[in-house]
Amino acid sequence: MTVPGRRSSTFIRLLRSGFTDPTHAARLLDADALTAVRADPVLLDALGATADPDLALHGLVRLAEAQSAEELPLLLDTLVSAKPLRDRLLGVLGASEALADHLARHPRDWQALVTYEAADLHPGLAEFEQGLADAHDPVALRVAYRRCLLSIAARDVCGTTDVAQTAAELADLATATLRAALRMATAAAPDDAAQCRLAVIAMGKCGGNELNYVSDVDVIFVGESVGGAEEHKALQAATRLASHLMRICSETTVEGSIWPVDANLRPEGRNGPLVRTLASHMAYYQRWAKTWEFQALLKARAVAGDPDLGADYVAAISPLVWQAAERENFVTDVQKMRRRVVDNIPAAQVDRELKLGPGGLRDVEFAVQLLQLVHGRSDATLHSGTTLDALHALAAGGYVGRADAAQLHDAYRFLRAMEHRIQLYRLRRTHLVPEDEADLRRLGRSLGLRTEPVAELNKAWRRHASVVRRLHEKLFYRPLLDAVAQLSPGETRLSPRAAGQRLEALGYADPASALRHLEALASGVSRKAAIQRTLLPVLLGWFADSADPDAGLLGFRKVSDALGKTPWYLRLLRDEGAAAENLARVLSAGRLAPDLLMRAPEAVALLGDPEGLQPRTHEALEQEVLSAVGRADSGEAAVAAARGVRRRELFRTSAADIIASYGTEDSPAEKDCGALVDRVGDAVSDLTAATIAGALRAAVRDHWGETLPTRFAVIGVGRFGGHELGYGSDADVLFVHEPREGVDEQEAAKAAQTVIAEMRRLLQLPTADPPLLIDADLRPEGRSGPLVRTLASYAAYYRRWSLTWESQALLRAEPVAGDPDLGSRFIELIDPLRYPAGGLGEDAVREIRRLKARMESERLPRGADPTLHTKLGRGGLSDVEWTVQLLQMRHAWAEPGLRTTRTRRALAAARTAGLLPAEEAQILDEAWVLATRVRNAVMLVRGRAGDTFPSDARELAAVGRYLGYPEGRVGEMLDDYRRTTRRARAVVDELFYGA
């Protein structure tokens, strides 16, 4: 008896086994037909392992109820005792409602799944022909066809065959079906058969041995007369046979239809004769055929009818196919055809279109076919009608990068597997990903995604589609193709004139200027131009992979003009595999890194050194800066040298950040965004500290020699002290000094004031290098207070006058330059203020909350979108930092891990100490990292700092690319940002405001 309000054990078991409607499933298990097996635990486990346990159980009950009383025990005994049969049968019933219908109508056909021999595991054309041999009418052919299809589906869903083998088996079954249909048509009209020879040529996916479960079978018919028969009468007879064959396969009967046979790929399409002689075919192709027809003929394969005539046809058209790339406007024609396919997809379906949409199957197939046709003229290894085989051959021949080919291979297999399982469910011809949750769940589970099937499926699908889209554009629009296609063999080099036609398709906003850059770089007979002609086709593809190809190409020309006469520059790009791609990424990602590079183009050498992009330590930077300052003969020259080091290191840091964010062909983009942010923050903060140390040394030396009359230290605060500086951040500091023994306090104070003024002057002198602004506004009393104080003055002020906000500002205070002992004593002085014993009182907490609320209402710029402002907006940097700092001031006295100047470390320590749940800590961390990355991206893209997303479309797209969003996904980027920060604000409201 089940206790009221409590689920039965059967209900729980069904739920755990993956049933979505356990109540209905329990009723089905109670069906009379399953009496003998309903208690068998093996059956329930096997049902739970299917793509859709509810569907599988329903199909099993229908099959069992359709058995005769004599045959039911055999089904049930075999089901529980034979694992191969159980997995196959239930796997099919859980994946295909249509095949479950077939088994209910033909209840003995389940026995086709019992045999488990070598030939059954991997059947070929002969086995399928044998399976259809007893079918002598269209209805019997349909039943036999589905019986064979049942075995293919069983091997597919159980993983006995992979997606490529399944597609090949489906093509073999289609071939056997066409032969059976032609046999029936011939038997029905023996006189017609006696007058002609008829060959059936498979095209499309059937021709390529990569057919879907439900697809039109594309064919071309070739006919010839026999003996002395008149040609026109022979063609009429052949046409009647061909038409009858098509009807046998296509017409709807009591058993439905098999699939449409489509002959529209024939010469002149549906307006041309259904059957032509071989000579007529050749005359048409040689004179009238369009580019797309040769692309279609790439997959032509003789499958039925007269084998000699079929072989003659394939042999005759093959040379024409592999010469098609020499036709005028070949590449342009193929591109237009591809665009026309995409443009004809209804807008409501384009995001669900698995085959024809952006990043879909057709993208892979078009790119592979185009490369085959261009390079297959001189390389017979590329002559394959099967997409994956051709892709492998292209990679083996070096026509496609191995990494690109591997990614395309994986993506194509995944997308084809999705297509197979979608069609298998109801055996309907569709390429649309379903929208219904239950359909998506079944689809995900059928592909082995069991934890969160819908979420995992959508994520994997989008990832693979993104890979296809990116690589397809890189391959399909590669300008080199047009050049290769229009020049005779042996003269394959980049022609700037021909490449100009490709630039707009690659995404160049100003093709005319881009063409001029190409002509300047690649024209001529010099060795330099020859190397550029080798490099440019690859570089153009990398530029095209960015948000601003024009900027990338312009930058490359500028760098090449500056370094073209040096012996190492082009050799570096040609011989160091990573250098050219790294340079392309850096030049086309925005303004900051190229601007830094243009001021010292020799820094391009960093891009080819395996260690060149690794950040340098603070000690190494400071040593180099101080050495450069020591060699200079004036303060101006000294700080110019220090700023030169800063410029080079900013380039190193920004280049490494861009390359890690974009990824390269050999290494994917860095997935740990927090690590990227920390790396930039550490590098820029260390560099700023070293630069300030150099400026301090120069200022002291010019006025006082080696020793300043007072000990002097620079304390970093804000982002500087927290090692969280971005590319556009000012250096927030405090200055502290302490007169040396015997030095008058006024003299010491004057010396400290003078050295600060001199440091600021030197660091802001107008030069080609970016200035470094020093901001001391966080000092006691703010702008109203003295710029520098003695340590004793700080102690007196903090003891008597310190405000809560000043204690909060000290949370990120850390010595960065000057006298280390004085810096350490300053930290000892402020620790009791920033980490108050017993934590903050309630009055202080209310004061911090009041200040934060006022800042939110007063400091957000007028007209700024509060949902997109990275610093002051909802869930942005300020929200997260104030929340973490409040936790530090309340609990750091008792939790040593909170005594850090770094936001992320403090947040992790708070989580470890149990001050907030791990989930909330992760939400805050993700929001802080994302907002920081957006700020860094804006500076990289625009060359100037900003706290919100750019309004310019191209700049916004560049920010998106840096953040990992493909072209055309900026809306998704903004939505993700709003969602991430909205969740963070909810945590802030709870933890900071106590809501």
Side-chain angles (χ1 to χ4, degrees):
M1 174 180 175
T2 302
V3 177
R6 188 176 290 179
R7 300 291 192 184
S8 70
S9 59
T10 302
F11 183 97
I12 299 297
R13 284 193 65 201
L14 290 169
L15 199 60
R16 288 176 176 171
S17 294
F19 288 87
T20 57
D21 187 352
T23 303
H24 181 62
R27 286 198 297 268
L28 289 175
L29 282 171
D30 285 338
D32 292 340
L34 297 187
T35 301
V37 296
R38 72 165 61 99
D40 194 311
V42 172
L43 175 62
L44 198 58
D45 290 342
L47 287 166
T50 65
D52 187 338
D54 300 84
L55 184 67
L57 178 57
H58 183 254
L60 179 60
V61 171
R62 292 177 63 202
L63 175 59
E65 290 176 343
Q67 302 296 313
S68 67
E70 296 77 19
E71 293 174 329
L72 178 60
L74 175 62
L75 169 66
L76 298 180
D77 288 347
T78 311
L79 186 67
V80 297
S81 62
K83 186 179 187 308
L85 178 279
R86 182 169 61 248
D87 291 345
R88 287 173 150 200
L89 178 58
L90 296 182
V92 168
L93 293 175
S96 179
E97 187 177 72
L99 288 176
D101 291 342
H102 172 82
L103 285 170
R105 289 195 309 271
H106 304 280
R108 291 185 176 181
D109 278 5
W110 68 270
Q111 296 182 38
L113 303 179
V114 173
T115 54
Y116 207 73
E117 299 170 356
D120 180 59
L121 291 177
H122 299 288
L125 178 58
E127 285 75 23
F128 290 126
E129 286 193 281
Q130 183 179 353
L132 304 180
D134 294 333
H136 299 294
D137 61 72
V139 173
L141 182 61
R142 281 150 177 71
V143 174
Y145 174 86
R146 285 196 172 78
R147 189 182 303 119
C148 293
L149 193 65
L150 185 67
S151 67
I152 294 175
R155 286 185 292 275
D156 181 14
V157 299
C158 290
T160 307
T161 55
D162 64 18
V163 66
Q165 291 171 316
T166 300
E169 288 186 13
L170 289 166
D172 283 343
L173 177 56
T175 298
T177 305
L178 289 171
R179 292 181 180 181
L182 183 57
R183 185 182 71 240
M184 292 179 194
T186 300
D191 292 342
D192 285 342
Q195 294 184 64
C196 66
R197 300 163 64 204
L198 178 65
V200 183
I201 311 298
M203 304 285 285
K205 282 187 161 51
C206 184
N209 278 300
E210 50 187 17
L211 198 59
N212 303 325
Y213 276 102
V214 186
S215 174
D216 291 357
V217 171
D218 296 310
V219 298
I220 286 177
F221 295 107
V222 188
E224 296 287 352
S225 61
V226 173
E230 296 181 29
E231 184 177 286
H232 76 280
K233 289 185 178 180
L235 288 178
Q236 289 175 349
T239 299
R240 289 190 291 271
L241 290 174
S243 299
H244 193 187
L245 177 153
M246 295 173 70
R247 291 196 303 275
I248 290 170
C249 296
S250 306
E251 285 183 346
T252 301
T253 70
V254 292
E255 286 291 337
S257 65
I258 302 177
W259 19 247
V261 176
D262 188 341
N264 288 336
L265 292 179
R266 66 187 183 270
E268 299 180 79
R270 64 185 60 192
N271 296 320
L274 184 62
V275 182
R276 289 176 183 258
T277 63
L278 178 55
S280 176
H281 275 281
M282 294 303 296
Y284 172 85
Y285 289 131
Q286 289 169 344
R287 187 170 184 183
W288 303 109
K290 296 181 175 62
T291 299
W292 70 263
E293 293 177 276
F294 293 108
Q295 188 178 1
L297 286 169
L298 191 150
K299 292 182 178 290
R301 178 172 65 96
V303 293
D306 190 295
D308 293 334
L309 180 57
D312 289 344
Y313 174 87
V314 172
I317 58 102
S318 183
L320 299 180
V321 170
W322 301 112
Q323 293 165 11
E326 297 174 0
R327 294 166 56 89
E328 187 176 359
N329 298 322
F330 166 74
V331 174
T332 308
D333 284 348
V334 178
Q335 288 183 3
K336 287 179 180 176
M337 184 167 61
R338 166 64 198 154
R339 289 199 195 98
R340 198 158 49 238
V341 168
V342 175
D343 292 343
N344 288 337
I345 302 172
Q349 297 180 356
V350 69
D351 289 336
R352 296 192 297 126
E353 176 58 66
L354 197 63
K355 178 180 179 180
L356 303 177
L361 293 162
R362 186 60 61 88
D363 275 353
V364 182
E365 292 160 359
F366 265 54
V368 168
Q369 290 164 20
L370 181 58
L371 287 163
Q372 282 182 276
L373 292 173
V374 170
H375 299 295
R377 292 175 295 165
S378 55
D379 189 344
T381 65
L382 304 182
H383 296 186
S384 172
T386 305
T387 302
L388 289 175
D389 289 349
L391 182 58
H392 176 76
L394 286 165
Y399 304 107
V400 176
R402 291 189 181 276
D404 288 351
Q407 285 186 286
L408 275 180
H409 176 272
D410 292 346
Y412 187 73
R413 288 172 67 93
F414 182 84
L415 296 174
R416 282 302 303 272
M418 280 185 70
E419 181 184 46
H420 278 185
R421 302 301 165 80
I422 290 169
Q423 293 184 350
L424 179 60
Y425 175 47
R426 288 200 172 115
L427 289 183
R428 290 181 182 171
R429 183 176 180 268
T430 178
H431 307 287
L432 292 178
V433 177
E435 295 178 292
D436 181 74
E437 184 86 5
D439 291 335
L440 289 171
R441 181 175 183 272
R442 180 191 317 106
L443 179 57
R445 284 174 60 91
S446 76
L447 296 171
L449 308 173
R450 296 301 173 95
T451 307
E452 294 286 344
V454 177
E456 292 175 40
L457 172 68
N458 282 323
K459 184 177 180 181
W461 171 32
R462 298 300 179 191
R463 183 180 75 251
H464 285 298
S466 174
V467 166
V468 170
R469 183 64 173 161
R470 178 175 62 82
L471 293 178
H472 163 261
E473 300 224 342
K474 184 177 176 183
L475 301 176
F476 191 72
Y477 295 113
R478 187 184 288 182
L480 180 61
L481 295 179
D482 203 31
V484 172
Q486 295 189 19
L487 295 173
S488 58
E491 297 180 13
T492 53
R493 68 179 66 171
L494 181 69
S495 163
R497 182 176 169 186
Q501 301 173 26
R502 312 275 34 93
L503 293 170
E504 192 167 359
L506 273 162
Y508 287 81
D510 186 356
S513 294
L515 183 57
R516 287 195 295 273
H517 299 324
L518 286 179
E519 290 171 342
L521 289 164
S523 58
V525 294
S526 67
R527 180 176 175 274
K528 182 174 74 172
I531 296 176
Q532 290 283 22
R533 285 195 291 269
T534 303
L535 291 170
L536 275 168
V538 184
L539 287 167
L540 286 170
W542 285 325
F543 293 146
D545 195 32
S546 75
D548 195 349
D550 298 85
L553 182 55
L554 174 61
F556 181 67
R557 181 180 177 184
K558 287 181 177 179
V559 174
S560 296
D561 287 347
L563 296 176
K565 294 182 181 179
T566 61
W568 56 268
Y569 167 64
L570 289 175
R571 186 171 66 243
L572 170 77
L573 298 185
R574 183 192 63 194
D575 298 340
E576 296 293 338
E581 185 178 4
N582 289 345
L583 178 61
R585 300 294 183 210
V586 168
L587 291 176
S588 55
R591 295 180 183 175
L592 178 65
D595 285 350
L596 293 168
L597 181 60
M598 296 311 168
R599 292 168 185 156
E602 64 276 2
V604 76
L606 297 173
L607 302 176
D609 180 359
E611 301 298 319
L613 297 177
Q614 295 299 314
R616 300 178 67 201
T617 64
H618 175 263
E619 292 75 16
L621 288 170
E622 187 170 286
Q623 182 179 0
E624 180 182 3
V625 168
L626 293 179
S627 297
V629 168
R631 290 191 297 270
D633 55 9
S634 68
E636 287 80 359
V639 174
R643 288 171 66 178
V645 173
R646 179 170 179 261
R647 177 198 60 232
R648 184 198 67 214
E649 295 304 318
L650 278 175
F651 173 73
R652 186 197 307 270
T653 303
S654 59
D657 188 19
I658 290 165
I659 292 163
S661 298
Y662 270 67
T664 65
E665 292 189 347
D666 293 328
S667 60
E670 172 67 65
K671 293 181 179 179
D672 186 349
C673 296
L676 285 174
V677 164
D678 290 345
R679 205 147 54 223
V680 172
D682 279 332
V684 178
S685 299
D686 287 346
L687 177 56
T688 301
T691 307
I692 289 175
L696 175 59
R697 174 73 60 87
V700 170
R701 190 188 63 183
D702 270 15
H703 290 78
W704 295 278
E706 292 301 317
T707 306
L708 190 65
T710 184
R711 294 182 180 87
F712 186 88
V714 184
I715 310 297
V717 290
R719 295 190 169 281
F720 188 14
H723 293 256
E724 296 162 358
L725 285 181
Y727 299 111
S729 301
D730 295 345
D732 291 318
V733 298
L734 300 176
F735 298 111
V736 58
H737 79 103
E738 185 178 65
R740 297 185 185 277
E741 291 183 12
V743 177
D744 179 71
E745 283 198 14
Q746 286 189 342
E747 180 188 349
K750 184 178 179 181
Q753 297 272 8
T754 302
V755 81
I756 292 170
E758 182 65 2
M759 286 171 60
R760 283 181 148 179
R761 182 186 74 84
L762 291 172
L763 289 171
Q764 295 178 42
L765 283 173
T767 69
D769 296 316
L772 175 57
L773 302 179
I774 295 178
D775 187 340
D777 287 352
L778 291 177
R779 65 188 182 271
E781 301 180 78
R783 294 182 181 180
S784 303
L787 192 60
V788 59
R789 292 174 182 262
T790 64
L791 187 63
S793 175
Y794 272 107
Y797 176 86
Y798 287 139
R799 185 168 55 249
R800 186 172 182 185
W801 304 108
S802 178
L803 299 175
T804 304
W805 73 264
E806 292 173 313
S807 298
Q808 183 182 353
L810 293 172
L811 283 168
R812 293 200 283 185
E814 182 176 283
V816 294
D819 189 297
D821 177 66
L822 180 60
S824 296
R825 285 188 285 130
F826 180 85
I827 296 302
E828 291 175 7
L829 169 68
I830 66 172
D831 272 353
L833 289 168
R834 55 184 180 174
Y835 311 134
L840 283 182
E842 286 304 312
D843 289 344
V845 171
R846 280 194 295 272
E847 175 66 11
I848 289 177
R849 289 171 175 167
R850 186 184 64 79
L851 285 171
K852 176 74 167 68
R854 193 179 78 184
M855 185 180 73
E856 288 179 13
S857 63
E858 294 178 0
R859 292 185 58 188
L860 189 70
R862 180 176 296 178
D865 184 346
T867 67
L868 293 176
H869 199 279
T870 59
K871 183 177 181 181
L872 302 174
R874 178 194 69 189
L877 297 170
S878 176
D879 271 359
V880 177
E881 288 165 2
W882 281 61
T883 301
V884 172
Q885 289 161 15
L886 183 59
L887 288 171
Q888 288 180 283
M889 296 184 76
R890 297 181 82 172
H891 302 285
W893 67 277
E895 292 292 342
L898 288 171
R899 299 171 200 167
T900 174
T901 62
R902 302 175 186 236
T903 301
R904 297 189 71 219
R905 287 187 185 176
L907 186 57
R911 181 196 65 218
T912 302
L915 300 177
L916 77 168
E919 182 183 359
E920 292 184 355
Q922 183 176 352
I923 288 171
L924 292 179
D925 187 69
E926 286 178 359
W928 190 88
V929 167
L930 178 57
T932 303
R933 291 203 78 213
V934 171
R935 289 183 104 202
N936 286 344
V938 170
M939 185 66 186
L940 286 169
V941 169
R942 303 176 68 191
R944 61 182 188 275
D947 289 320
T948 190
F949 289 86
S951 55
D952 178 80
R954 182 159 279 205
E955 290 179 348
L956 186 62
V959 169
R961 293 306 308 276
Y962 172 83
L963 296 177
Y965 291 86
E967 182 183 357
R969 304 282 279 278
V970 294
E972 182 180 334
M973 170 183 68
L974 298 178
D975 288 345
D976 286 349
Y977 182 85
R978 288 189 173 103
R979 181 172 56 255
T980 300
T981 53
R982 183 174 63 247
R983 295 172 66 208
R985 179 61 189 211
V987 176
V988 170
D989 286 340
E990 177 186 347
L991 292 179
F992 184 83
Y993 288 111

